[in-house]
Amino acid sequence: MKKLINQVDNIVSEMLDGMTAAFPQYVKRLEGFEVLVRASGPSSKVALVSGGGSGHEPSHGGFVGKGMLDGAVAGEVFTSPTPDQVFEAVKAVNGGKGVLLVIKNYTGDVMNFEMAADMARDENIEVEQVIVADDVAVENSTWTTGRRGIAGTVFVHKIAGAAAEAGLNLADVKRVAEKVIANVRSMGMAVNPCTVPAAGKKSFELADDEVEIGIGIHGEPGTHREKISSVNDIADKLLAKILAEGIYAAGDEVAVMVNGMGGTPLMELCVANKHVKDVLDGKGIKIAKTLVGNYMTSLDMEGFSITLLKLDDELKKFLAAPADTPAFVQF
């Protein structure tokens, strides 16, 4: 295994310290906890907290800042953060208007965030939660009941974060987040799997001429593997499964995310995005916003995912609202 690390046990802590050193204008670390919060401290608006296992960078700490998250909780690599870590994040960001937890649909995350919510309610902090389950590849997996939460979570961060920044109350911020969840779908693939530092080996094996279709973001194998083909052919397969959901039609406006899994060159992501645009143009689906890059990764996995979000006027407004975080700047 080749990794630019010191000690496996210190990766997450050193990463968070490195982020705060690089972006002190955006984030600070809660002493004694694997939690990043806004450097400016809590404000009198609804606060958003998200997180999960590390290894998905820039998610989640990279999205702490104006117009997105107020706090991000970092578990060990591909491991849910503990309830007390989430609880400390909730307490730190609460400005008196309540806190919304944005949870990806993995059993450990759901359980631990829900426990933290109960702990916060015992302290008279108003807490609501939403669960993102945008992955169309599988209905159930090793770590989930129901669909997995993957890159579409970033759209929830962005749009619900903008709603909170605009002054909506907790019930309405939750409503907006749930609208995003209802209208967002994703699917991914891998050319090469990732290597988890603690394991020291690849998460699954692929032959030189194979790709894995329908992977998860924790190094999980996908629905099947097949011989590698052109990126256009691969994108067609991912899009076909997404469009088969039946929620996107001619005349709709969508946001598109072509998300790198961590080890994919931007050149290749842009080639994939060109084909996504061509396909959607051919179906009369208008693209209002496109994101291309690393947003929800899986360590050093080579591959990409495609996310579509159907927009209405409200979602489009909040998607276009200003955001300024270490990994997401939009004006």
Side-chain angles (χ1 to χ4, degrees), residues 236-268:
D236 281 338
K237 291 170 184 174
L238 302 183
L239 275 173
K241 194 79 182 287
I242 292 169
L243 293 172
E245 293 287 288
I247 63 173
Y248 311 100
D252 287 342
E253 282 193 284
V254 299
V256 171
M257 179 188 299
V258 176
N259 170 64
M261 301 309 298
T264 312
L266 184 59
M267 173 188 288
E268 296 174 22

Side-chain angles (χ1 to χ4, degrees), residues 12 27 45 59 94 122 129 202 215 218 222 236-237 290 292:
V12 174
V27 296
K45 68 171 191 64
S59 291
N94 178 41
D122 288 342
Q129 65 192 49
K202 292 187 181 300
I215 48 87
H218 298 97
D236 281 338
K237 291 170 184 174
T290 300
V292 178

Side-chain angles (χ1 to χ4, degrees), residues 131-147:
I131 298 174
V132 187
D134 55 310
D135 185 4
V136 303
V138 293
E139 282 299 325
N140 297 288
S141 69
T142 305
W143 294 351
T144 64
T145 299
R147 291 179 168 181

Side-chain angles (χ1 to χ4, degrees), residues 52-301:
S54 297
H56 306 305
E57 291 72 33
S59 291
H60 301 80
F63 302 129
V64 174
K66 180 182 177 183
M68 292 188 77
L69 299 178
D70 296 87
V73 193
E76 294 302 314
V77 174
F78 296 168
T79 302
S80 175
T82 60
D84 63 305
Q85 300 268 6
V86 181
F87 177 48
E88 291 298 327
V90 170
K91 290 193 296 181
V93 303
N94 178 41
K97 301 293 186 181
V99 179
L100 180 69
L101 303 180
V102 180
I103 311 167
K104 299 188 302 302
N105 189 33
Y106 294 94
T107 302
D109 285 1
V110 173
M111 178 178 67
N112 290 347
F113 274 75
E114 287 183 343
M115 289 175 64
D118 289 339
M119 294 162 68
R121 294 184 188 109
D122 288 342
E123 298 288 330
N124 296 315
I125 299 173
E126 189 178 6
V127 179
E128 293 288 350
Q129 65 192 49
V130 294
I131 298 174
V132 187
D134 55 310
D135 185 4
V136 303
V138 293
E139 282 299 325
N140 297 288
S141 69
T142 305
W143 294 351
T144 64
T145 299
R147 291 179 168 181
R148 302 175 293 205
I150 55 173
T153 309
V154 178
F155 279 133
V156 182
H157 294 164
K158 173 65 191 71
I159 292 173
E165 210 77 55
L168 273 64
N169 63 29
L170 182 57
D172 276 335
V173 174
K174 179 180 180 179
R175 174 188 58 77
V176 169
E178 288 180 330
K179 189 193 293 189
V180 178
I181 292 166
N183 288 282
V184 68
R185 300 290 188 274
S186 305
M187 187 167 172
M189 60 79 60
V191 175
N192 280 306
C194 64
T195 300
V196 178
K201 61 181 181 180
K202 292 187 181 300
S203 54
F204 54 89
E205 295 295 328
L206 283 175
D208 289 343
D209 62 347
E210 290 181 327
V211 297
E212 191 84 15
I213 303 295
I215 48 87
I217 58 172
H218 298 97
E220 309 101 309
T223 57
H224 68 281
R225 60 192 52 177
E226 59 187 47
K227 298 297 183 183
I228 190 168
S229 56
S230 71
V231 69
N232 285 6
D233 288 341
I234 293 169
D236 281 338
K237 291 170 184 174
L238 302 183
L239 275 173
K241 194 79 182 287
I242 292 169
L243 293 172
E245 293 287 288
I247 63 173
Y248 311 100
D252 287 342
E253 282 193 284
V254 299
V256 171
M257 179 188 299
V258 176
N259 170 64
M261 301 309 298
T264 312
L266 184 59
M267 173 188 288
E268 296 174 22
L269 298 180
C270 288
V271 173
N273 182 62
K274 175 190 180 299
H275 189 64
V276 171
K277 182 181 187 304
D278 289 345
V279 171
L280 296 181
D281 284 350
K283 294 182 177 297
I285 299 173
K286 181 181 177 182
I287 300 173
K289 178 68 179 178
T290 300
L291 301 177
V292 178
N294 285 327
Y295 293 92
M296 181 75 72
T297 64
S298 183
L299 293 170
D300 55 345
M301 183 181 285

